[in-house]
Every structure is written in C-alpha cells, then in structure tokens.
Amino acid sequence: MVLTYAMLLLAALPDAMFAPVLKSILIDRYQVELENSFWFMSINLIGMLLVLPLLPLLRRRLKPSMLIAAAALCNGVLYALMAFPVGLVWTLCLRALEGAPDLVVLASVLSLVSRSEGSGAENRALRFGIAGTVMMLALFLGLIIGGFASSA
C-alpha cells in the first residue's frame, strides 16, 4: 500500500510544479501576458476529457502496472518536450495532450487504492482519505520544488 501512495505522490507532484515556472515558460520565452499564461495550467483538461471515454477500454486491455508505466512514460516525454522552445502553439498542444496520460496514471493509481486490502467501507474511506492527503502533499511539494527550480 505504501508503494501505491508513493506512486500517487509522484503522479501528482508535477501538476503543481508548473505554477511557479509559468513566468519562465510563457512570459519570458513567448511574451505571453501574465493573465493569459494561466490558461496553460488548465488546458490539459482537454486531454483528460478526450481520454476519459477510453479509460474503461485501456483498463480492460492492460494490467494496471503496464498502464501506469506506459502513461507515466508518455507523461514524462510530454513534459520534457515542453521544456524545449517549440513555439507557443506547440507548447499548448503538448500541454493539452499531457492531460491524457496524467488522468490515466491518477485514475489507475486511485483504482489500486480502491481495490487494496481491507474491503470494509470504513477502510476504503480511510484509504481514500490518505490518498487525498498524499495528493495535497504532492501539490504542496510541487509548488516548493517548482519555486526552487524557477529561481535557479
């Protein structure tokens, strides 16, 4: 179970790391106004919405470990590509696509939390309470790490 929570922490960590580096990614690199740069944070919802209908099919065809590994690898590649100066439109397209593997990883890990040992409703509530706490911790740590990365 600890490994599942660790995967959840690592999956949620990058989501908050972008906020502190928006200035260097969009404002400095592409001269986007601050007010418009925050669209970057929410555009990945497009990828999430596009992959949502495919989740049941993916879960039936792949083992959870393979699904998590493939989606995490895809997510990492998309994050890496966004580090290159590929142009504003392509950066936004990459960010939109990044939402798909992000959702696949989070949904798959949360599914493992749901199916883990202890089938009682009380245990399930406790497991999801811990999962929510881990996700909030990941967002907190992501902001701090992103802040250090943007000041370096």
Side-chain angles (χ1 to χ4, degrees):
M1 197 64 199
V2 172
L3 180 60
T4 305
Y5 291 128
M7 287 190 300
L8 188 59
L9 180 87
L10 292 174
L13 190 66
D15 291 329
M17 291 174 71
F18 273 118
V21 296
L22 278 179
K23 183 178 181 311
S24 62
I25 293 174
L26 296 172
I27 297 171
D28 295 344
R29 185 184 290 173
Y30 300 122
Q31 290 75 44
V32 174
E33 294 180 21
L34 180 64
E35 297 81 22
N36 294 329
S37 67
F38 290 100
W39 285 101
F40 180 83
M41 293 302 292
S42 58
I43 199 167
N44 71 340
L45 293 174
I46 293 171
M48 290 180 175
L49 291 173
L50 292 175
V51 80
L52 200 55
L54 300 174
L55 264 178
L57 175 70
L58 292 171
R59 289 187 61 211
R60 281 194 300 270
R61 300 240 172 148
L62 296 170
K63 291 188 219 177
S65 58
M66 290 302 298
L67 188 57
I68 292 168
L73 180 64
C74 183
N75 208 7
V77 167
L78 290 168
Y79 277 137
L81 289 172
M82 282 186 266
F84 293 103
V86 295
L88 178 60
V89 172
W90 284 108
T91 301
L92 292 175
C93 287
L94 290 169
R95 178 68 175 162
L97 289 174
E98 181 271 329
D102 194 25
L103 179 68
V104 170
V105 170
L106 289 172
S108 300
V109 173
L110 287 172
S111 176
L112 292 175
V113 168
S114 176
R115 292 184 290 164
S116 64
E117 77 274 350
S119 59
E122 307 84 34
N123 289 337
R124 182 172 289 145
L126 176 63
R127 289 192 310 266
F128 276 105
I130 294 170
T133 303
V134 168
M135 290 177 74
M136 292 298 113
L137 177 64
L139 295 176
F140 169 75
L141 292 173
L143 285 170
I144 292 171
I145 294 168
F148 282 127
S150 68
S151 65

